[in-house]
Amino acid sequence: MHNIKDIRNDPNQFQESLKKRFLEVDLKNILELDENNRKLIQEKETLEKEKKEISKSKNKELFEKSKSISKKIDILETKQKETKVELDNILSSLPNIPKDDVPVGKDENSNLEVSKSGNVPKFNFKPKSHYELGENLNMLDFDLASKTTGSRFVFVKDKLALLERAISNFMIDIHVNQNGYQEISPPLIASENTMYGTGQLPKFENDQFEIKFDDKNDRKFLIPTAEVILTNMGKDKIFQSDELPLRVVASTPCFRKEAGSYGKDTKGMIRQHQFYKVELVSIVEPENCLNELDRMTNCATKILDLLELPYRKIILSSGDMGFSAEKTFDIEVWLPSENKYREISSCSSCGSFQSRRMKARYKNKKNETVFLGTLNGSGLAVGRTLIAILENYQQTDGSIIIPNALKPYMNNLDKIVKK
RNA sequence: GGAGAGAUGGCUGAGCGGUUGAAAGCACCGGUCUUGAAAACCGGCAAAGGGGCAACUCUUUCCUGGGUUCGAAUCCCAGUCUCUCCGCCA
């Protein structure tokens, strides 16, 4: 959510900034609504003052007048609220503004590679895809999942189920013991307002799984990422400065409808309705956002270094970034079967965009109450890490070598072989 | 599912129709004292929004939404959440 005061102060700059997102905003309409809103507030406040004075005077002769003022206030207030809602509806559907160093471009074609790391493995045979490998091992079962549930789900079995759990535990341990994150086991369901806080609502309702709940007043959703629930730990809160930075990590299932991605990655477990992800969230003083983004990205790449998986880091272009982000690094892991890098992590700074929606604030050194900075990043997507291990560590016979770092988490197993 | 109790500022906690935006304490910020720190003492300290170049000023807010009243943190209704007891249960 943007600060209307900033827009008011420099409307043209605001419009220019949004052009980086390839968005045309009806600036005139926004400014008109804002002006109208303020006019109505002023009229209302004048009447409220008058009413207050009458009530203080306790002058019975003026009581009738006070009643009629109340009626006028009601009318003004209704109008004012409507105007405010209309303004907020527009503002809450506008994405965050990219930082200056974000490459401007419409889509992923304008993303820039920042760095490359690790060695791409050489095979003396044609590397198989993760789903071929998994199905041949009888440890990935997509058919069974479509029978019990539907498309874009999978049964992970036996040693691959263990591997999935091992990946998750390994990552959390690193982030807790080496990277200074606090482990959280959060709710997997979020209220409507929580979803609004991080920017999933109102604009991206189509991609969310809403669930039936007893009460009709409050809508509830399965989290599409732990970012939602972890970032909202700061919701409606004023932090003391000694509570910052807050760094938390959680491994949770994530649920996404993947609306609009029909036909994309239909085979395998690249794009599922349900997947595990280890998520990092930092809540920091806003001026520290970009430093924290670098730190967070390093925490994520460290996992790939330890797993000895080849990857590259890219900076997303203005048009490819998520709604709430002001700057995003994606980390892409090498997938031999596709002969290319695929996203395995996305680390974003959101500046104060989310905190303004959530009302997450803190007291700064001058004792002023200011909105915080929020960041989120995958550290890493568990399912895709499983894929990357299957494909990069595959052997001619279809067996899978376990990366050294994971062996302690796999009961010291060296290799996954077909039974 | 049944029966009660409660929700007040960053935190603890008074107030239960009229200068109450709200006592007191803690925390925090500034100062005095001190070589420095602690302690002590003095002062400041809620948020959101509007107006003003500014000093400043106005409005709203005591869980949320309605209602009663000239006037509500205080009374009434509905909802949400928390706690205690009983039942059920992973």
Side-chain angles (χ1 to χ4, degrees), chain A residues 175 179 181 227 230-231 245-249 278-284 288-303 313 327-329 331 345-350 373-380:
Chain A
H175 293 311
N179 295 340
Y181 286 82
E227 169 203 342
L230 294 178
T231 309
L246 179 68
R247 296 192 178 107
V248 289
V249 58
V278 172
E279 183 78 358
L280 306 170
V281 161
S282 299
I283 298 182
V284 303
N288 294 341
C289 272
L290 294 179
N291 284 338
E292 185 71 14
L293 178 61
D294 288 335
R295 184 188 189 277
M296 179 180 272
T297 310
N298 287 337
C299 291
T301 52
K302 184 195 256 180
I303 300 289
K313 177 173 148 186
K327 182 173 177 179
T328 298
F329 291 114
I331 298 159
S345 169
S346 190
C347 300
S348 301
S349 167
C350 299
T374 62
L375 299 97
N376 63 81
S378 1
L380 312 158

Side-chain angles (χ1 to χ4, degrees), chain A residues 343-409:
Chain A
E343 177 187 343
I344 197 167
S345 169
S346 190
C347 300
S348 301
S349 167
C350 299
S352 298
F353 186 85
Q354 292 179 324
S355 69
R356 221 171 283 124
R357 289 173 161 244
M358 292 189 303
K359 298 188 172 64
R361 293 160 294 178
Y362 87 111
K363 292 264 187 204
N364 69 9
K365 289 181 194 81
K366 291 181 206 155
N367 240 9
E368 297 162 330
T369 309
V370 297
F371 288 109
L372 288 156
T374 62
L375 299 97
N376 63 81
S378 1
L380 312 158
V382 174
R384 290 188 179 179
T385 306
L386 184 86
I387 291 173
I389 290 171
L390 287 179
E391 296 204 0
N392 283 281
Y393 282 88
Q394 63 178 298
Q395 307 298 303
T396 323
D397 61 358
S399 64
I400 312 294
I401 302 276
I402 307 292
N404 285 326
L406 286 181
K407 281 178 188 165
Y409 294 86

Side-chain angles (χ1 to χ4, degrees), chain A residues 3 16 45 55 79 86 112 138 150 203 238 249 260 290 294 299 307 312 319 346:
Chain A
N3 189 347
E16 283 307 305
E45 289 186 352
S55 123
K79 264 197 202 161
E86 203 181 333
L112 293 179
N138 290 324
K203 217 182 165 185
I238 300 178
V249 58
L290 294 179
D294 288 335
C299 291
L307 293 176
R312 64 171 189 162
S346 190

Side-chain angles (χ1 to χ4, degrees), chain A residues 185-198:
Chain A
S185 175
L188 305 179
I189 292 172
S191 69
E192 181 177 12
N193 194 256
T194 295
M195 296 284 279
Y196 174 84
T198 33

Side-chain angles (χ1 to χ4, degrees), chain A residues 128-167:
Chain A
K128 291 190 174 67
S129 68
H130 71 278
Y131 49 87
E132 286 176 272
L133 291 161
E135 287 182 322
N136 288 341
L137 288 165
N138 290 324
M139 296 181 196
L140 286 184
D141 198 333
F142 297 95
D143 296 339
L144 180 57
S146 64
K147 199 156 71 177
T148 60
T149 310
S151 68
R152 290 200 195 279
F153 289 91
V154 66
F155 275 80
V156 182
K157 297 190 204 168
D158 204 349
K159 290 293 181 281
L160 285 191
L162 174 61
L163 180 59
E164 185 178 57
R165 192 152 53 89
I167 290 168

